[in-house]
Amino acid sequence: MGELEIGHPYSRAMLPGAKVGGGYLKIVNPGKTDDRLVSVSSDRATSVQIHEMSMDGAIMKMRELPQGIVVPAGGSLELKPGGYHLMFMNVSQPFKEGEMVKAVLTFEKAGPVEVEFSVGPAGGDAHAGDAHKEHKK
């Protein structure tokens, strides 16, 4: 089993009263075997779901991926706006710009990996604050 590298975890600030927030990051798997992101948890949300967003003609569709998502051997997986992403559900306190949101990514082979999502501006796509911190497992 090779080490997974987790880079650039970030989220966007949420509007007051919002209950759902997104999470984005890049996972690099330099190993020789595939791994799978199977679940995510955070004390800031009752659950964190792995989602896929896609276009069906002119209609944007979003669906949960309850079986997780593969991180290919020798490759990477990017979770970003408009594609694969994390959804923090029933957030207790909306994410505020400048703060860090802790979460645990659980992989089929690598096991649990603690990460911190840097919260950027609500409308921004920038990797805010300390988002370029690298995490390894």
Side-chain angles (χ1 to χ4, degrees):
M1 167 178 73
E3 286 188 344
L4 294 177
E5 299 169 11
I6 310 296
H8 315 294
Y10 73 100
S11 187
R12 293 179 180 156
M14 297 165 58
L15 299 175
K19 294 292 182 192
V20 178
Y24 315 100
L25 52 91
K26 184 173 184 178
I27 305 166
V28 177
N29 180 359
K32 296 188 186 320
T33 54
D34 291 349
D35 206 337
R36 177 181 295 271
L37 176 61
V38 293
S39 67
V40 183
S41 63
S42 173
D43 62 2
R44 294 286 299 271
T46 57
S47 68
V48 182
Q49 299 176 355
I50 303 165
H51 279 202
E52 176 183 29
M53 188 176 288
S54 61
M55 294 299 291
D56 184 4
I59 300 171
M60 186 183 303
K61 294 188 171 197
M62 187 165 51
R63 68 183 179 109
E64 182 181 3
L65 301 172
Q67 302 303 315
I69 188 167
V70 171
V71 183
S76 65
L77 170 67
E78 191 166 2
L79 283 72
K80 60 186 178 182
Y84 295 116
H85 60 279
L86 303 177
M87 290 299 294
F88 291 79
M89 310 299 287
N90 297 313
V91 173
S92 54
Q93 283 212 288
F95 302 164
K96 292 185 179 121
E97 186 173 352
E99 74 175 339
M100 302 297 285
V101 175
K102 293 181 180 185
V104 177
L105 310 176
T106 302
F107 295 90
E108 194 171 73
K109 295 186 174 87
V113 178
E114 293 183 12
V115 296
E116 288 188 330
F117 289 81
S118 175
V119 181
D125 193 24
H127 302 308
D130 198 21
H132 295 279
K133 188 188 307 183
E134 297 285 328
H135 300 263
K136 292 190 176 194
K137 167 71 181 178

